[in-house]
Amino acid sequence: MSISSISNQNIYRSYQSLSSGKRINSAADDAAGLTIAQKLQSQANSYDVGSRNAGMSKDMVNIADGALGSITDNLQRIRELSLQASNGLYTASDKEAIQTEIDQLKQSISDTASGTQFNTMNLLDGSKDSFHVGAGSNGDGLEVQMPNSTLDALGIADYDVTGNFDLSAIDQALDTVVSARANLGATSNRLDSVMAYNANASYNTVASQSRIEDLDYSSAVSEQKKNELLRTFQMMMQRKHLENENGRVLRLFQS
């Protein structure tokens, strides 16, 4: 390969690097560096996907927690009505009226447990007791435990204040729901921590990748100017050599 061809190739590579902003545009530029940079990019992408998975799971947890909040409100109202029904001054018909409201509240709890969904999947009816969250860069992560909040699971499916009833059944149901909400709250905080870690890890991984493959513009411009100057000098020398050769041929012809 001639010196001129090498010079032209260097200038082409300089323009290619300056236009792309990358020091490595092909394996020929730095095979080892390209391999490492690609691995780092893959890892950074994995952290970003893990963060998105954790974010979606946090949204799911928030939906479940909101539904459990509604169930808690209904249970609190059922407890109030039960205390009211425990008063000996109420007649049988009065207690039946109270039970009518309790039945409506129980139906609301049942509807919430069966109708709370995320991405068409039921969350609180016991059909799925946990979800895996692929929050790690290798698909690892954590399990989100989902509570069963149906009337049967809460132990109040047959709760009725028109006869003998035990208020502790409502207290137990409240404890179950409050405990489930506490677990979901802890899970939400953990997902926040995972997303923060992934964001930091992704940032530093991308920074490392950048140091390997991104272009140092000041050095690249200097290198480009040097190559252009060398090319100009080579063209001048070639032109001078051609003029000398032409002159020698002319002198031989004249003689």
Side-chain angles (χ1 to χ4, degrees):
M1 183 180 291
S2 66
I3 294 176
S4 177
S5 296
I6 294 174
S7 178
N8 288 337
Q9 188 178 62
N10 290 336
I11 291 174
Y12 170 77
R13 286 182 175 177
S14 295
Y15 277 118
Q16 186 181 40
S17 295
L18 288 170
S19 62
S20 67
K22 300 290 186 181
R23 182 181 68 86
I24 304 175
N25 292 287
S26 67
D29 296 330
D30 184 350
L34 179 63
T35 300
I36 296 172
Q38 289 299 311
K39 289 180 179 179
L40 291 172
Q41 181 179 352
S42 177
Q43 191 171 18
N45 291 341
S46 297
Y47 283 125
D48 293 340
V49 172
S51 290
R52 290 197 294 273
N53 287 343
M56 288 181 63
S57 299
K58 182 176 171 64
D59 294 337
M60 178 191 69
V61 166
N62 289 339
I63 289 174
D65 180 61
L68 289 176
S70 175
I71 291 175
T72 300
D73 292 339
N74 288 329
L75 287 172
Q76 292 285 12
R77 178 57 181 162
I78 291 174
R79 193 178 192 281
E80 292 175 9
L81 292 170
S82 299
L83 286 173
Q84 184 178 349
S86 67
N87 192 340
L89 296 179
Y90 285 94
T91 65
S93 60
D94 292 333
K95 291 183 179 181
E96 288 176 1
I98 292 174
Q99 183 60 38
T100 298
E101 183 175 350
I102 289 177
D103 288 339
Q104 292 296 321
L105 293 167
K106 286 167 59 180
Q107 185 61 49
S108 178
I109 293 173
S110 181
D111 292 343
T112 301
S114 62
T116 301
Q117 294 184 334
F118 184 84
N119 193 28
T120 72
M121 292 183 290
N122 292 339
L123 303 181
L124 303 177
D125 65 351
S127 60
K128 195 169 183 63
D129 58 0
S130 66
F131 291 89
H132 176 72
V133 182
S137 60
N138 297 315
D140 54 341
L142 64 151
E143 299 293 324
V144 178
Q145 302 297 323
M146 302 305 298
N148 185 342
S149 300
T150 61
L151 295 176
D152 287 329
L154 295 176
I156 59 171
D158 299 322
Y159 188 78
D160 192 327
V161 299
T162 58
N164 294 327
F165 63 93
D166 187 357
L167 188 60
S168 65
I170 302 300
D171 290 333
Q172 182 60 46
L174 277 167
D175 288 343
T176 299
V177 174
V178 170
S179 177
R181 295 191 69 186
N183 289 334
L184 289 177
T187 299
S188 179
N189 290 336
R190 185 178 178 189
L191 289 170
D192 283 334
S193 178
V194 168
M195 286 188 287
Y197 169 79
N198 282 351
N200 181 66
S202 176
Y203 173 82
N204 286 290
T205 301
V206 170
S208 181
Q209 177 191 0
S210 176
R211 279 190 288 272
I212 293 173
E213 66 177 3
D214 284 1
L215 185 67
D216 182 344
Y217 268 95
S218 59
S219 298
V221 170
S222 297
E223 184 68 18
Q224 181 196 27
K225 294 300 182 183
K226 183 188 76 173
N227 290 331
E228 289 178 345
L229 183 61
L230 287 173
R231 184 169 180 272
T232 300
F233 178 75
Q234 290 164 3
M235 293 177 63
M236 291 176 60
M237 294 301 294
Q238 289 173 353
R239 180 178 179 182
K240 185 66 174 177
H241 176 73
L242 183 61
E243 289 176 349
N244 290 338
E245 285 295 315
N246 290 338
R248 185 175 67 82
V249 170
L250 180 61
R251 287 194 297 273
L252 288 174
F253 179 78
Q254 290 175 345
S255 64

